Amino acid sequence: EIEALLLSATHAHLGCHANGLTYVVPISFAYDSKRILGYTSAGQKTAMMRENPEVCIQVDEIKNLGEWKSAIVWGRYEELHESQAAIAVGYLIDRYGPIFQDDPSPDHRGREIIPPRVDSGLGERIVYCVHITKKTGRAEHP
């Protein structure tokens, strides 16, 4: 169930800790069965993950109080460059591209659509992954 949730979820919360401060922030991500892949601009979370690369990510799917799934993964942050970054961005565009279509179709691959944030001028852009070292999850089913 953890694997299925990581593959289907569209958002998560990333937790990081550095210099006595804990920070939790929502993220968009893709999962490649080994790593969480992300794309962001420079800011507080990237500064903190550079300082302390040990992070956790919480993913959930909540239908109601009696039907939900939640998973937490722990891992190590790494910035990706060159071909590894290009591969990661491909996963992200495949995952989120169809969401940005006006009329999505199941046979239309996401790489044919470039989400607005990927194509905009945001300053320093950072492609990263979290190498998963541990996973846990819980669920409540009716």
Side-chain angles (χ1 to χ4, degrees):
E1 281 187 87
I2 293 170
E3 294 295 306
L5 181 59
L6 290 171
L7 286 167
S8 69
T10 58
H11 65 281
H13 288 89
L14 178 134
C16 51
H17 182 85
N19 302 316
L21 179 67
T22 301
Y23 188 59
V24 177
V25 61
I27 61 168
S28 300
F29 72 97
Y31 176 60
D32 73 356
S33 298
K34 297 174 284 196
R35 306 171 298 171
I36 299 292
L37 304 166
Y39 180 89
T40 191
S41 52
Q44 183 168 342
K45 86 172 165 275
T46 53
M48 291 177 76
M49 292 188 296
R50 286 170 175 165
E51 180 71 26
N52 177 8
E54 300 300 322
V55 300
C56 70
I57 297 169
Q58 186 268 335
V59 180
D60 59 39
E61 179 184 295
I62 302 170
K63 293 186 180 178
N64 58 52
L65 290 175
E67 189 173 358
W68 54 268
K69 301 173 190 176
S70 178
I72 297 177
V73 299
W74 290 266
R76 188 167 186 84
Y77 168 80
E78 177 189 3
E79 291 182 17
L80 302 175
H81 304 281
E82 298 173 1
S83 64
Q84 288 299 311
I87 291 167
V89 168
Y91 272 99
L92 289 159
I93 292 174
D94 283 347
R95 179 75 181 104
Y96 289 96
I99 294 170
F100 292 97
Q101 282 183 252
D102 291 333
D103 184 23
S105 68
D107 60 345
H108 193 102
R109 291 198 36 92
R111 287 183 202 208
E112 296 171 19
I113 300 96
I114 297 176
R117 182 171 178 179
V118 174
D119 204 26
S120 65
L122 289 175
E124 182 186 10
R125 296 179 217 166
I126 299 162
V127 180
Y128 67 92
C129 72
V130 173
H131 297 280
I132 296 172
T133 57
K134 182 180 175 184
K135 301 181 229 184
T136 190
R138 296 202 53 198
E140 179 87 22
H141 302 287

